[in-house]
Amino acid sequence: MPSGLPMLMAFTDRTVDDRPVQRNRLPAHAYFVGSAVFHYLGPAFAVLLFARVDVLGVAWLRIAAAGIVFALWRRPWRVWRRLDGGTRRLVAGWGAVLAVMNSAFYLAIDRIPLGTVAAVEFLPVVVLAALGARTPRNGAAVGLAVAGVWLLSDVRLVAEPWGFLFAAANAVLFALYIVLGHRVARNEAVTGIDGLALAMLVAAVVAAPIGFLDAAPAFVDPVALAAGIGVGITSSVIPYVCDQLAMARLPRATYALLVSLLPATATMIGIIVLAQLPTAVEMAGVVLVAGGVALHRERREAAVAA
């Protein structure tokens, strides 16, 4: 998946334990840096893999690899057996959205720079927060984010209309992913990791008709198969574990502020790994989106400030 997990965790209503983990001496910010880097380093490696495996095939390999790792780790079928019908439908819907969202994300990064896709992805998140807490501050945040995406769209719509449309579809699905993930996180019958593990397995099944045949060449290419598994681990498993460790030790407001750096992180990784040099206008758009993410506040944060 794209950078959904840090934002999903930052925008749930669950209380996060801000107390430091006594047995872990590594600074909390180090975990966030690890999460921020791997969330986009994995997709950057995926772009390099597109030369050997079709785009949708790489997307399926990522989902399936992460699903297998989480399944072996969490054994989520034990949780599935005790869920009621409504919760099962919720988790299945979350997994279906995850499958389509990842496919749209990979189709987008195949056509336009990684930093641009990441910036567009954050617009619905800021809008959701603004709808939850209608304050002047959130209004300004939406204004910045919209202006940034407008600059990016003005640059990319003419040159790569399909790439930008896939990025927009990914952004809308990302917002739906957050809403469904929020509901799963608030469901007492399933914990966050187990819910994600179940959703990943569902996503692998849902995405199979879309990407399995395209992934087939990797099964006879050990290098491509290993790379696909690596993309799944670096894109989904490592960042999620880092998110958990960071959220356990960082105050909620601090974590939400740090998340605003992710569009810039994606841009830098695009430059270093993929040689995707942004124009001055694109860089301004990414900065505006990052500013909007940093400025916005959730409903709970706005209430505390008031």
Side-chain angles (χ1 to χ4, degrees):
M1 81 190 71
S3 56
L5 284 175
M7 295 305 296
L8 171 62
M9 298 190 65
F11 289 98
T12 63
D13 283 340
R14 281 192 168 180
T15 302
V16 176
D17 185 1
D18 297 333
R19 293 172 298 180
V21 179
Q22 298 297 330
R23 290 177 295 179
N24 196 331
R25 298 181 182 276
L26 195 64
H29 293 78
Y31 291 116
F32 179 83
V33 171
S35 172
V37 170
F38 277 101
H39 268 298
Y40 292 107
L41 189 60
F45 290 153
V47 172
L48 299 177
L49 185 57
F50 291 163
R52 302 176 77 114
V53 181
D54 191 74
V55 177
L56 292 176
V58 176
W60 184 82
L61 284 173
R62 170 186 175 172
I63 296 170
I68 291 172
V69 171
F70 278 118
L72 294 174
W73 176 23
R74 303 300 300 181
R75 299 180 183 177
W77 49 85
R78 298 178 300 180
V79 178
W80 180 264
R81 287 197 295 263
R82 66 171 183 261
L83 298 181
D84 59 53
T87 304
R88 288 181 177 181
R89 288 190 292 272
L90 175 61
V91 172
W94 192 26
V97 169
L98 176 63
V100 182
M101 180 183 71
N102 272 276
S103 300
F105 177 73
Y106 273 48
L107 288 168
I109 64 174
D110 184 42
R111 291 167 170 81
I112 60 179
L114 183 61
T116 300
V117 177
V120 173
E121 185 177 58
F122 278 80
L123 178 60
V125 176
V126 178
V127 173
L128 280 176
L131 292 175
R134 297 178 181 87
T135 64
R137 177 171 177 152
N138 274 354
V142 172
L144 285 176
V146 169
V149 172
W150 181 82
L151 284 178
L152 293 170
S153 65
D154 191 50
V155 171
R156 289 290 166 185
L157 262 178
V158 175
E160 285 288 353
W162 280 108
F164 196 85
L165 288 175
F166 283 128
N170 169 68
V172 172
L173 290 165
F174 183 36
L176 182 58
Y177 174 82
I178 289 175
V179 172
L180 295 177
H182 184 182
R183 294 179 182 177
V184 172
R186 295 181 64 183
N187 193 307
E188 296 181 355
V190 57
T191 63
I193 297 177
D194 290 336
L196 178 70
L198 285 170
M200 281 286 190
L201 291 177
V202 171
V205 174
V206 172
I210 304 173
F212 180 79
L213 290 179
D214 290 333
F219 298 129
V220 294
D221 185 345
V223 174
L225 183 60
I229 294 172
V231 167
I233 294 173
T234 56
S235 300
S236 301
V237 180
I238 294 176
Y240 185 74
V241 173
C242 288
D243 286 335
Q244 289 282 301
L245 294 171
M247 287 292 285
R249 302 180 64 192
L250 287 172
R252 185 188 187 92
T254 302
Y255 189 85
L257 179 63
L258 289 173
V259 163
S260 66
L261 300 174
L262 291 180
T265 303
T267 301
M268 291 305 299
I269 290 175
I271 294 172
I272 296 170
V273 179
L274 303 174
Q276 295 176 339
L277 298 176
T279 65
V281 174
E282 288 175 319
M283 202 65 202
V286 170
V287 170
L288 286 173
V289 172
V293 177
L295 186 62
H296 92 280
R297 277 183 174 172
E298 295 180 71
R299 181 182 303 173
R300 178 179 296 180
E301 292 174 0
V304 170

